Amino acid sequence: MKVTLSALNTSESSFTPLVVIELAQDVKEETKEWLKNRIIAKKKDGGAQLLFRPLLNKYEQETLENQNLYLVGASKIRMLLGAEAVGLVKECNDNTMRAFTYRTRQNFKGFDDNNDDFLTMAECQFIIKHELENLRAKDEKMIPGYPQAKLYPGKSLLRRLLTSGIVIQVFPLHDNEALKKLEDTWYTRFALKYQPIDSIRGYFGETIALYFGFLEYFTFALIPMAVIGLPYYLFVWEDYDKYVIFASFNLIWSTVILEVWKRGCADMTYRWGTLLMKRKFEEPRPGFHGVLGINPITGKEEPLYPSYKRQLRIYLVSLPFVCLCLYFSLYVMMIYFDLEVWALGLHENSGSEWTSVLLYVPSIIYAIVIEIMNRLYRYAAEFLTSWENHRLESAYQNHLILKVLVFNFLNCFASLFYIAFVLKDMKLLRQSLATLLITSQILNQIVESLLPYWLQRKHGVRVKRKMQALKADIDATLHEQVILEKEMGTYLGTFDDYLELFLQFGYVSLFSCVYPLAAAFAVLNNFTEVNSDALKMCRVFKRPFSEPSANIGVWQLAFETMSVISVVTNCALIGMSPQVNAIFPESKADLILIVVAVEVSKDLNFF
């Protein structure tokens, strides 16, 4: 027999605040009262049956600074019923993983009626977010006090409030005590050690934990490449053609590490319970718009947008724009080669030391231009993908990632392919790869490490000033914590972090056979990356909502695609090498094609 919310008392006189809702300054009182009633109303009446109160200062008063800040929480029973509603999977006493139900709660490992640690804080905040997002319009035609903010039955109230500017933001609160413990085991002590992935998952959720798990795994997977590459670099530095052995190891490495990661990822997510979670039905994304109608699949009233219009936008506008950007990228690449010719001619005519340094200037300038173009294109890709008006967030993300990856791949690697297979200049390939890799890592360290550190220091100064202005005690109150956290930056997700690793994987797997130090530089960069990313998550950004994930999503396919390209590239380089050509002097082209075809077929069968 299923337990319902209506049959249980889910109210408490006091509660632990988990989520903050910030309203605009000029929100009308009737709107506030309506929102409050919808949040605390029982589920059978269309409410969320959560706990809700305004933020009070330490004198239990509302002030001008916090009059539009509200705290949301839930009783223990409400949380457990919410865990059942979202389909959380937990470990049972018989060591099996099953979807949690309130009726069978005693069968789950670690559950006790007097124990509040059965659900992590991240899971509780995810449940509250889920309940707030599932507050639906019933008979309302508009948001009270805002006739221009139209509603229709089944519309998510929170999304409408956000798009109308009535709600400024909704964010989960940090747990200062738990955060301090996490920091002490994570990044405050700089040492070579494994990250506390399970603790990261407990605090930030599975999506963030999987990113840090992948970053750690990828860094350790690079170490064999770095260990082999260092002596290889030292002993055959001047002989640019002796790369066959390293290229052979490279193509095996790039294939195997991703398969091993898939197994490790499945093991982690099974232990966390997200591997077995059922995928929930996706609601239309907040930016989706169209003519109000009945969805033929769900039977709900929602905006409808013809698929053919979206396809026209994609193929008649987005695709030509992407092609134009790719052409511009190739045009910039040819300018770079002209600069290389100019610098080489100047050095040959002069032969001085400063002109030998000048040989690296074109590559450095080109690397900086690549970073600038990548960032500018990212903004354009986001605008175009939003304009295409995708109904689901997953479709939006897939189209955005495809646009960004195609451009970034060509922008970062086209010059290396041109040098390797058109110019066939291994010396220039080594120089270009080294310059592009090191310059991009220096720029990323400035953005990823120095800038977050500066922001954290600046935020710390602002915290001290604000606490002095409030005449606060040494220990910050809840009021002060909320006021300070709402001003922190918003974490926009793992997109940029995975993109950086994707490009790094490309630099190492494609052409590191001619520059074996590439893996060593990547390892050094990633050790710093772990700490800078951890600092950002804990001290620079607001705490993000937990999002259950079973894997790293479309990025797994992106890395596997890069792996296939890496196999083809390394096989082609092996086929072009003097050692192999000496064995097969009469059939160079046939040899290359045969080697590539055999290895690609092996690789595809492997996946």
Side-chain angles (χ1 to χ4, degrees), residues 499-514:
L499 179 61
E500 184 182 344
L501 291 179
F502 173 80
L503 296 176
Q504 187 184 92
F505 179 63
Y507 281 123
V508 173
S509 64
L510 291 173
F511 297 107
S512 65
C513 60
V514 297

Side-chain angles (χ1 to χ4, degrees), residues 19-23 39 52 68-70 72 132 167 169-170:
V19 174
V20 177
I21 298 178
E22 182 183 5
L23 304 182
I39 290 176
F52 180 89
N68 288 316
L69 291 167
Y70 295 87
V72 184
L132 289 174
V167 171
Q169 60 179 337
V170 179

Side-chain angles (χ1 to χ4, degrees), residues 507-547:
Y507 281 123
V508 173
S509 64
L510 291 173
F511 297 107
S512 65
C513 60
V514 297
Y515 184 61
L517 284 184
F521 279 113
V523 169
L524 293 175
N525 176 81
N526 288 358
F527 277 126
T528 309
E529 185 82 12
V530 168
N531 290 277
S532 62
D533 284 351
L535 172 66
K536 287 190 299 183
M537 295 303 305
C538 295
R539 292 298 172 187
V540 178
F541 294 123
K542 294 185 190 73
R543 184 180 188 175
F545 277 106
S546 167
E547 286 293 338

Side-chain angles (χ1 to χ4, degrees), residues 46-86:
Q49 207 162 338
L50 299 174
L51 304 175
F52 180 89
R53 68 173 173 86
L55 175 68
L56 305 175
N57 64 12
K58 59 183 178 182
Y59 304 110
E60 299 299 313
Q61 298 173 340
E62 286 191 67
T63 65
L64 182 63
E65 189 175 18
N66 66 0
Q67 64 180 351
N68 288 316
L69 291 167
Y70 295 87
L71 305 175
V72 184
S75 65
K76 181 180 178 181
I77 296 175
R78 179 70 184 88
M79 283 298 184
L80 293 173
L81 292 168
E84 179 178 349
V86 299

